[in-house]
Amino acid sequence: MAAGDGLADLIGRRFGSSNKCFFNKDKSMAGSAAFVAGSFVGSYGLLFWLTSLGAMEPLGMGTMGIAGRLLAIAVICAGVELIPVGDDNWSVPISAEIYSLPPIDRSWTKIMNHYIYYTVMHDGSEPYEGVLSAVEGLKGAGKKMIILSNSSKRREKSERMLVKLGFNPSDFENIITSGDISHSLLQNDAESLGCRNWDVLSELVTRNNRNAYVFGSGDDDEAYVTSAGWTLSTIEEANLIVARGTFTINDGTSPVISKTENEAEYWKVMERAMACAARDKLPMLVCNPDKVRPDEGLPPMPGAIGDAYERFVWTTHCNQGMTEEMAREFVKRVGKPFGEVYDIALSSGGDDGDDENKKMRERAIMIGDALETDVVGSAAAGVDALWVRHDGIHGKDVIERGHVGVLEEFNGNREFTYAYGREVVPRYLADHFRW
């Protein structure tokens, strides 16, 4: 009101004599246009200032969404001001207040009416506070929940972990793990799960070129690879690198190299293997795209191995025209935020077909803590996201710097994340996921 009405009076007196409003001769089109411009610019500037100082929570919309809403409010208020009945000193501020009220927090409304893709459940040792009751409540309300896990383990092991933590696996419509999808890709059988095979692996399997060099977790890495029809081999003989952990290196011939037992040797062997593989442009299958684990110090995960290998491939062949984007084609990451896990999840709740798939995306919500995997992935899949800020990987930073600062920092570095340059704006926000 202060910016718009004041500017409208100045411009209206100067330029409005020839363009009076036909139903209110005290007002002019020039003055109304000035009202819209002043209200929009003043409101946008004030919001930007307050959020940048951390004095105001962000609205959970993108830049265009905020600008569009403010412009709509300014136009509506300009129309109200033209009404020749009543006192616009009251009617305009009241109208602005009504139309600028934040939308009712529809996160719970959406959750209570849609499919739920759920990831922020536990910290590896115990459930986050309130999650068990949230799952119980949603199950009791008849809602369908699907777990999307970036674990490189297969579903059976994830189910045992859930039971140990107090969850009932039967409460969930599906439990999808990166490890299960990767295992199917190794067999050229991912279509049975509901996603596409990787052409690079399909060709290797068809030619029976199934020698794999493994960066492992130390948990049945050899059984994981051999049960999919592959043989462990040295890096010189390998057709593929499988990255499913950051604790061991296994080539099937030498003793398994353990980072916990000999960290210097582990890094030495890894660097040599990366250089050798990059020279030959070996493909790499990353069975868990997470880059860090939400533990003290944020220790690396297999996604970090994928990033490192991309740089090895790029720098080894950049003098031959290799670009960073081209190097990315040699690394297949399986799990959030990449497409396979969402293809399977979206096919879990309905029939096949473009129309049904579109309805599923509109009726789904992704609940997660990680911007780079959960929120980026949901945006790419066309699914709304509820960002749980205080549990999980960003929790400590959010408490110290506020979620505005965390989100701005992430978007400031988006060229170097899985967002690949796209801005991330979660549709909904929550401190925790509790019933």
Side-chain angles (χ1 to χ4, degrees):
M1 183 69 180
D5 198 41
L7 190 61
D9 183 55
L10 291 174
I11 298 299
R13 291 177 185 275
R14 178 69 177 83
F15 300 103
S17 58
S18 61
N19 48 73
K20 295 293 184 179
C21 175
F22 70 93
F23 60 85
N24 187 348
K25 297 304 181 180
D26 291 331
K27 307 292 182 182
S28 67
M29 295 298 102
S32 295
F35 182 97
V36 171
S39 299
F40 172 74
V41 173
S43 299
Y44 191 89
L46 183 62
L47 280 177
F48 179 81
W49 179 56
L50 291 174
T51 53
S52 65
L53 290 176
M56 177 179 176
E57 295 284 314
L59 299 180
M61 309 179 204
T63 301
M64 295 305 297
I66 294 173
R69 183 161 184 171
L70 289 176
L71 182 60
I73 292 170
V75 170
I76 290 170
C77 289
V80 171
E81 192 196 31
L82 291 174
I83 299 173
V85 178
D87 185 353
D88 62 12
N89 289 316
W90 287 98
S91 61
V92 171
I94 290 173
S95 299
E97 175 68 18
I98 292 172
Y99 286 104
S100 63
L101 286 173
I104 295 172
D105 185 355
R106 296 190 298 273
S107 58
W108 276 103
T109 304
K110 187 175 177 75
I111 288 168
M112 293 305 294
N113 289 282
H114 293 69
Y115 295 93
I116 302 161
Y117 302 145
Y118 199 32
T119 66
V120 57
M121 300 180 65
H122 59 83
D123 62 4
S125 59
E126 60 182 3
Y128 289 117
E129 183 179 350
V131 170
L132 288 172
S133 61
V135 171
E136 181 181 353
L138 290 167
K139 180 67 175 179
K143 305 309 168 185
K144 295 183 178 181
M145 298 174 286
I146 299 174
I147 295 177
L148 309 184
S149 170
N150 275 3
S151 170
S152 61
K153 297 180 174 63
R154 304 201 58 193
R155 173 174 175 157
E156 295 79 10
K157 289 196 173 185
S158 293
E159 287 184 349
R160 290 198 292 270
M161 170 64 80
L162 288 172
V163 171
K164 183 179 178 182
L165 293 171
F167 295 95
N168 183 354
S170 65
D171 287 343
F172 303 95
E173 186 85 0
N174 200 354
I175 299 172
I176 304 168
T177 73
S178 299
D180 246 6
I181 302 172
S182 299
H183 196 264
S184 296
L185 287 171
L186 287 168
Q187 299 175 82
N188 198 31
D189 189 37
E191 292 178 353
S192 66
L193 295 179
C195 65
R196 292 185 56 201
N197 289 305
W198 185 23
D199 291 342
V200 173
L201 271 184
S202 297
E203 184 176 352
L204 291 176
V205 171
T206 300
R207 295 183 178 182
N208 203 30
N209 295 330
R210 299 190 182 190
N211 291 333
Y213 186 85
V214 178
F215 296 120
S217 65
D219 184 9
D220 295 332
D221 297 310
E222 183 171 0
Y224 181 87
V225 171
T226 56
S227 63
W230 288 69
T231 302
L232 292 174
S233 73
T234 63
I235 193 64
E236 290 80 10
E237 298 176 344
N239 308 113
L240 172 73
I241 301 175
V242 177
R244 66 185 304 260
T246 57
F247 295 99
T248 62
I249 298 175
N250 195 341
D251 65 4
T253 58
S254 306
V256 175
I257 299 172
S258 170
K259 184 168 66 174
T260 56
E261 295 177 2
N262 191 338
E263 185 169 356
E265 180 67 9
Y266 174 88
W267 292 118
K268 178 181 176 181
V269 172
M270 173 178 278
E271 184 176 1
R272 189 189 73 82
M274 291 269 205
C276 180
R279 183 190 63 225
D280 296 335
K281 298 182 182 177
L282 290 186
M284 173 182 282
L285 179 67
V286 178
C287 305
N288 180 341
D290 290 347
K291 297 179 181 180
V292 295
R293 190 168 58 251
D295 294 342
E296 187 66 31
L298 300 177
M301 293 286 278
I305 294 178
D307 284 357
Y309 184 59
E310 278 185 7
R311 289 191 291 271
F312 266 95
V313 173
W314 174 45
T315 55
T316 301
H317 300 281
C318 61
N319 59 350
Q320 301 168 17
M322 175 74 71
T323 65
E324 292 183 79
E325 290 74 19
M326 293 167 64
R328 197 177 298 157
E329 296 176 4
F330 292 90
V331 179
K332 178 68 172 179
R333 297 172 174 86
V334 181
K336 302 166 297 177
F338 301 98
E340 290 82 7
V341 66
Y342 296 96
D343 291 340
I344 297 170
L346 290 164
S347 67
S348 297
D351 299 326
D352 293 335
D354 291 341
D355 290 342
E356 184 63 27
N357 190 270
K358 181 179 179 181
K359 291 178 182 178
M360 280 292 298
R361 292 175 193 271
E362 293 174 349
R363 299 177 61 199
I365 185 167
M366 178 77 192
I367 303 171
D369 65 299
L371 291 172
E372 188 166 9
T373 53
D374 301 324
V375 180
V376 168
S378 64
V383 173
D384 283 341
L386 169 63
W387 179 32
V388 180
R389 299 170 289 184
H390 287 182
D391 294 331
I393 194 166
H394 300 295
K396 183 178 179 181
D397 288 337
V398 168
I399 291 171
E400 292 178 350
R401 297 189 283 118
H403 79 268
V404 177
V406 172
L407 190 58
E408 288 180 347
E409 181 181 7
F410 180 83
N411 283 322
N413 294 316
R414 60 184 179 269
E415 296 288 344
F416 310 103
T417 71
Y418 291 147
Y420 298 132
R422 293 170 296 181
E423 184 179 9
V424 169
V425 181
R427 182 68 178 85
Y428 305 106
L429 304 172
D431 289 340
H432 310 278
F433 191 69
R434 297 173 184 170
W435 189 248

